[in-house]
Amino acid sequence: MLKLQSQSIELSSQDDKGVSVDSEVLSLTGRESPAAAADRAANAAPSHGATAGIVASDDGNPLRAAEDPALAHDWWRTAVIYQVYVRSFADGSGDGTGDLAGVRERLPYLAQLGVDALWFNPWYPSPLADAGYDVADYRDIHPMFGDLRQAEELIAEARELGIRTIIDVVPNHISHEHPWFQEALASEPGSPARERFWFRDGLGEGGDQMPTDWVSSFQGPTWTRTTNADGTPGQWYLHLFTPEQPDLNWNHPDVRHEHEDVLRFWFDRGVAGVRIDSAALPVKDPSFPPLPHDPAPGEHPHLDRDEIHDIYRAWRGVADEYDEPRILVGEVWLADAARFARYLRPDEMHTAFNFEFMTQPWEAQVLRASIERTLTEHRPVGAPATWVLSNHDITRPVTRYGREDTGFAFDRKRFGTSTDLELGTRRARAAALLTAALPGSLYIYQGDELGLPEVELDRSFIEDPMHFRSGGVDPGRDGCRVPLPWSEHGASLGFSAQPSAQPWLPQPAQWSHLSVARQEADPHSMLQLYREALSLRREREDMRTGALTWLDAGPDAIAFRRGATFASITNLGERNVALPGNASVLLASGPLDGTELPPDCTVWLDVEPDPHTSA
């Protein structure tokens, strides 16, 4: 290992935004403060987190074996979870669309990458009005992906490699083709079938005005009017997303019982947990008041209402029925830290997605403040934080970090935004190591480990309703859903088992150099960086369980220590940052400049242990 000679880094008692942290100003080998020790005890994941062994596959590649059951109980606290967008991962049938057969064939790749679990976007039967988030049947698999038997085999085969399965559940709404909604449409106003949804008479003369002024998450109105059997205008029904996604009425016992039964259906088949889509939305104020300009916490008519916690307490009870308890992961977008933490109380969800961190710009002070807020939010409830750079909805990091605006907001997405992909790639590599070094669980969206950029698709290929409901201004989310390149050649770059098959979304020709095959042969590729990072993350106890202690490397750097001997430094500025002496390089996202860290680079260091600080 390379020995670096430079000035020592010191702990900072305050971040650059004035957010207090519980550390004294100490050198790298300084003594831990009592407050920091208390935080470490509160935040550290249990040392009995899941650890898998290594075995060799038939082709000689290392694969992880199933973990020791005695170590598995709290696996989710430090897990690496890989998001699989099935339609775009791998096509095993040869029709140009990703499927479960393709995922099964690529399980060795995922095991070698070093992931602990796979999170699948909805794989259920659906008319695909919103990429499968309009579910028509929760107890089956969409025919274009395979069938229920294949799903069961995939769950079992992945688990044999030490990889668990997490699936999406969408409690806020179902598809307009779901039998319940079809029954409701065929029924009279006030019927039991309609009570499972939010059917209301319109306002104004003839009921031709929508019941509320609520705005859709996809822009536009939230109510659609039905047509009676005689052809006259009927009632309106609520949909916070598209008209093809009618909202469910969670005051109805049928809705609650159905979802609990669905959880058991999949848990009985070996699913290790569920990711809960739009988790703060299902409960509505039945009086349907106007949207207040600035609602107080808990007063929004369809977001984060207090009654929602009864639902997730019941779900937690279902999850805890199993010998190996299943986990609940929430998609919770809330600005209020205290309200957010309520979803993570010990009798509710295990973890929640960290969207706040993911959408921040590439600025040291802003990102560090976001990390500190995240850890502070989770501290009172003892839940681990989650870290993620992108997902199936968010512009990919390589593209986002190469733009003038390096943050993310849905309403700022536009066609033709200029991107420096070389700069974005450097920053995405640095961000990958930064997030992998933070305490908690790590999510990786498929293709980010290859450094894939966002694709600006021709409008003729776009399917995302966000594009159409914006009047064509928003390019939509399909640009991060383009099928993965597995080889350098062929019509689909190895995505499809049939070499001549065209993928359902076109891949850029230049993606051949980003393919798995090309990157496996390049020791400096993004894929190899991810593999090395996840291997170190698994091997080092301080990276799994060590508390985070901030270090001071200047205003343009994010630096911290985990445990006694691991340190991470990310340079987000324009000038080199001096590296500490008496440290060895474990991994760097780019070439180092002697004893200094260049801009847009992260380095992991093995530092001398502090005899006064435990891991």
Side-chain angles (χ1 to χ4, degrees):
M1 295 184 182
L2 174 65
K3 289 291 184 181
L4 301 177
Q5 303 295 326
S6 185
Q7 63 188 31
S8 63
I9 293 177
E10 295 183 342
L11 296 178
S12 173
S13 61
Q14 230 180 16
D15 72 13
D16 298 296
K17 301 286 279 189
V19 179
S20 297
V21 296
D22 296 322
S23 301
E24 297 174 355
V25 179
L26 304 170
S27 69
L28 270 173
T29 57
R31 187 184 303 274
E32 184 180 37
S33 70
D39 279 349
R40 174 175 53 77
N43 286 309
S47 60
H48 53 277
T51 303
I54 301 293
V55 297
S57 66
D58 292 339
D59 60 5
N61 290 324
L63 301 179
R64 292 188 2 291
E67 71 275 82
D68 180 346
L71 304 176
H73 186 75
D74 287 337
W75 64 272
W76 46 273
R77 285 188 168 271
T78 58
V80 176
I81 302 169
Y82 186 94
Q83 181 184 354
V84 178
Y85 192 81
V86 179
R87 196 177 182 187
S88 298
F89 183 73
D91 168 24
S93 67
D95 63 0
T97 297
D99 48 37
L100 300 187
V103 178
R104 292 171 67 187
E105 291 171 3
R106 302 295 183 177
L107 284 175
Y109 167 83
L110 295 166
Q112 188 173 10
L113 182 60
V115 304
D116 300 296
L118 305 178
W119 157 38
F120 288 88
N121 290 96
W123 55 12
Y124 315 105
S126 166
L128 301 179
D130 180 24
Y133 283 90
D134 46 323
V135 179
D137 183 356
Y138 267 114
R139 294 176 177 83
D140 206 349
I141 299 295
H142 197 297
M144 75 176 180
F145 297 147
D147 55 35
L148 186 57
R149 176 187 58 81
Q150 288 178 305
E152 293 170 342
E153 290 172 348
L154 170 56
I155 294 165
E157 290 167 6
R159 187 57 189 268
E160 289 176 359
L161 296 174
I163 301 175
R164 291 172 169 83
T165 298
I166 297 170
I167 62 172
D168 251 321
V169 172
V170 190
N172 182 69
H173 51 261
I174 55 178
S175 168
H176 69 301
E177 293 186 4
H178 191 286
W180 275 10
F181 192 68
Q182 290 298 305
E183 180 187 4
L185 289 178
S187 302
E188 296 295 323
S191 66
R194 290 203 171 189
E195 288 303 312
R196 295 170 176 152
F197 302 91
W198 295 109
F199 282 87
R200 290 293 184 272
D201 294 328
L203 304 178
E205 185 176 352
D208 57 354
Q209 298 178 26
M210 290 183 292
T212 73
D213 61 351
W214 298 356
V215 178
S216 169
S217 298
F218 287 169
Q219 304 183 50
T222 56
W223 294 88
T224 292
R225 196 168 195 183
T226 63
T227 301
N228 295 323
D230 61 4
T232 59
Q235 288 187 304
W236 299 73
Y237 68 88
L238 175 70
H239 51 84
L240 292 184
F241 293 86
T242 70
E244 294 83 6
Q245 296 165 285
D247 280 36
L248 291 164
N249 175 8
W250 275 87
N251 294 330
H252 199 294
D254 286 357
V255 175
R256 298 190 178 227
H257 295 157
E258 170 67 3
H259 280 76
E260 291 170 18
D261 287 346
V262 166
L263 294 180
R264 292 187 179 94
F265 178 88
W266 287 107
F267 291 163
D268 289 345
R269 282 158 178 77
V271 164
V274 295
R275 178 261 194 189
I276 307 166
D277 179 75
S278 302
L281 289 180
V283 174
K284 280 77 176 176
D285 183 339
S287 69
F288 288 95
L291 277 176
H293 175 66
D294 187 20
E299 291 185 358
H300 194 288
H302 63 76
L303 175 67
D304 183 39
R305 297 193 59 77
D306 291 339
E307 303 93 322
I308 202 165
H309 297 283
D310 291 337
I311 297 171
Y312 298 131
R313 289 190 185 98
W315 286 26
R316 182 61 176 262
V318 173
D320 289 346
E321 292 173 2
Y322 293 80
D323 291 338
E324 181 183 289
R326 285 17 179 183
I327 70 164
L328 308 179
V329 181
E331 183 191 32
V332 183
W333 292 66
L334 293 175
D336 188 291
R339 301 287 297 188
F340 172 84
R342 297 177 70 192
Y343 291 80
L344 298 174
R345 289 176 290 193
D347 61 345
E348 293 191 47
M349 299 179 192
H350 297 77
T351 64
F353 269 39
N354 187 358
F355 291 103
E356 199 260 359
F357 173 82
M358 177 172 58
T359 58
Q360 297 303 322
W362 186 250
E363 298 175 17
Q365 297 182 34
V366 174
L367 275 175
R368 174 170 162 164
S370 177
I371 294 168
E372 181 61 26
R373 281 195 301 272
T374 297
L375 297 177
T376 299
E377 288 173 355
H378 288 75
R379 190 170 295 136
V381 288
T386 65
W387 308 101
V388 56
L389 293 176
S390 72
N391 62 25
H392 63 290
D393 291 330
I394 306 298
T395 303
R396 286 193 180 272
V398 165
T399 297
R400 193 169 75 241
Y401 290 144
R403 292 176 169 173
E404 182 177 357
D405 178 2
T406 55
F408 178 83
F410 284 109
D411 59 5
R412 297 202 301 267
K413 292 186 68 174
R414 293 295 183 268
F415 285 96
T417 304
S418 178
T419 298
D420 182 342
L421 289 181
E422 183 179 347
L423 174 63
T425 298
R426 287 201 308 273
R427 289 174 170 175
R429 290 173 66 94
L433 293 195
L434 168 62
T435 52
L438 293 167
S441 57
L442 174 68
Y443 282 79
I444 300 170
Y445 176 49
Q446 65 177 44
D448 280 355
E449 81 277 15
L450 302 176
L452 298 183
E454 189 87 356
V455 178
E456 186 160 298
L457 294 162
D458 184 270
R459 294 172 189 267
S460 63
F461 291 106
I462 296 175
E463 297 184 3
D464 184 16
M466 289 192 78
H467 166 70
F468 299 104
R469 290 174 69 86
S470 72
V473 173
D474 184 340
R477 299 164 294 173
D478 290 334
C480 64
R481 302 171 180 179
V482 174
L484 301 189
W486 291 92
S487 68
E488 300 179 57
H489 309 290
S492 66
L493 300 177
F495 168 71
S496 178
Q498 172 54 254
S500 62
Q502 294 292 330
W504 73 279
L505 285 177
Q507 302 155 308
Q510 60 268 33
W511 273 20
S512 62
H513 76 280
L514 295 175
S515 67
V516 173
R518 173 72 72 88
Q519 295 201 38
E520 285 186 327
D522 179 2
H524 305 295
S525 68
M526 183 80 83
L527 175 59
Q528 300 293 18
L529 178 72
Y530 266 82
R531 285 178 174 175
E532 292 179 45
L534 299 189
S535 177
L536 282 168
R537 194 179 192 273
R538 179 177 299 279
E539 292 169 3
R540 292 186 65 98
E541 179 71 16
D542 45 11
M543 292 190 73
R544 294 197 308 275
T545 65
L548 183 149
T549 307
W550 290 114
L551 308 174
D552 182 11
D556 295 322
I558 296 176
F560 53 87
R561 191 168 186 155
R562 295 284 310 280
T565 61
F566 174 84
S568 174
I569 308 173
T570 302
N571 182 3
L572 296 90
E574 298 179 355
R575 298 180 180 180
N576 287 2
V577 169
L579 292 169
N582 303 317
S584 301
V585 174
L586 294 169
L587 185 62
S589 65
L592 301 183
D593 186 2
T595 60
E596 295 185 321
L597 183 65
D600 301 317
C601 189
T602 296
V603 65
W604 288 358
L605 300 171
D606 188 73
V607 297
E608 290 187 350
D610 175 8
H612 303 291
T613 303
S614 61

